[in-house]
Amino acid sequence: MATRTDAPTRREQILKEAARLFAERGFHGVGVDEIGAAVGISGPGLYRHFAGKDAMLAELLVGISGQLLTGAKRRLAEADGGGAEQVLDSLIEGHIDFALDDRPLITLHDRELDRLRDSDRKMVRQLQRQYVELWVGVVREVYPELGEPAARSAVHSVFGLLNSTPHLGRGGSLPGRGATAELLHRMARGAFAAAGV
């Protein structure tokens, strides 16, 4: 999840392994001892970093929703007059990076969102709504004939397509990352174009 190029912190290592284990075996199928072992510390040692598994899950799901929104805002700001087409391509690229690099978080969101405390789940939903609305604005600039409900439906459909990556197969069954990213990008743009017809 870290976007920096320096070594991940212990906390980031714990979150990465927790996401992987939760996605593989479910939230209730993983104990703190297993998460600790995956990062080379004792299970109780995790409590120096997190109050418990619930806190890890909340940080993972609220965190990735916040990162997606922040990344989208940054991409929008960096376009600086480059045009809506360029912004849309950049947004698609950013979401593809997430979908290919953070596949366990997609699985985790699908399976475990309901396990969050109400306040954390509401925060995830609020961040996601903002992320969707940012995309809707850009899509409507590129395809002005699309009404707001149709643009929102198209955005959700493209997210469904891109977020299907956990179901694409494991390891060597996929083409290279570049080829997969290119295919997903073409499919996303095709879906938006079809919605605008």
Side-chain angles (χ1 to χ4, degrees), residues 102-138:
D102 291 315
R103 291 164 67 180
L105 289 175
I106 295 171
T107 300
L108 198 58
H109 180 276
D110 289 346
R111 288 189 199 155
E112 310 292 354
L113 182 63
D114 63 333
R115 300 203 188 289
L116 291 180
R117 292 179 313 183
D118 284 346
S119 60
D120 291 325
R121 191 170 43 253
K122 285 178 184 175
M123 177 59 72
V124 168
R125 294 298 190 203
Q126 178 184 5
L127 292 166
Q128 289 174 338
R129 277 192 299 276
Q130 291 175 43
Y131 184 61
V132 167
E133 293 311 309
L134 188 148
W135 277 67
V136 167
V138 174

Side-chain angles (χ1 to χ4, degrees), residues 8-23:
T9 65
R10 175 65 78 182
R11 188 175 181 86
E12 290 167 338
Q13 291 171 343
I14 293 167
L15 287 172
K16 181 178 180 179
E17 289 304 314
R20 180 184 64 78
L21 290 167
F22 292 159

Side-chain angles (χ1 to χ4, degrees), residues 19 27 52 81 87 97-98 115 132 139 143 148 151 159 170 173 190-191 193 196:
F27 179 73
V87 173
D97 286 343
F98 155 68
R115 300 203 188 289
V132 167
V139 168
Y143 303 100
E148 192 172 307
F159 288 170
R170 301 271 183 233
S173 65

